[in-house]
Amino acid sequence: PMVTSEREGQLRVSFLEAANAVKRNVTRSETTGGDGESVSDKGVVLELKQCYETIFTDAEKEHLTYEYFLEDWDAYCERVDKDADNIHPRDV
């Protein structure tokens, strides 16, 4: 479906909140990274399940279960890996 500008704004806020929650959890348990750099200065990686929960509404999840989402994700990753293997050095 099309994403309205209102829904896009909601998604941005939801992902920002999820990223901030991850940062708070990391910085609580470990204040610096191995290189002395603040953990809060590093990028945040969200779990795929958390992304699924954030992206889709409850109504959408009724039609696209997490298991089906994972199948789509696996197919996407395979395609990306295959495409990466087909890049000729001159094309980079």
Side-chain angles (χ1 to χ4, degrees), residues 87-92:
I87 294 175
H88 192 279
R90 287 182 299 180
D91 298 334
V92 178

Side-chain angles (χ1 to χ4, degrees), residues 41-61:
D41 294 339
K42 296 183 179 179
V44 174
V45 177
L46 300 177
E47 297 290 328
L48 196 54
K49 177 75 171 179
Q50 191 173 11
C51 293
Y52 168 83
E53 294 294 333
T54 302
I55 293 171
F56 298 104
T57 65
D58 289 339
E60 292 169 330
K61 290 176 200 167

Side-chain angles (χ1 to χ4, degrees), residues 26-42:
V26 169
T27 54
R28 227 179 276 147
S29 63
E30 175 182 337
T31 57
T32 61
D35 56 4
E37 182 180 18
S38 169
V39 173
S40 61
D41 294 339
K42 296 183 179 179

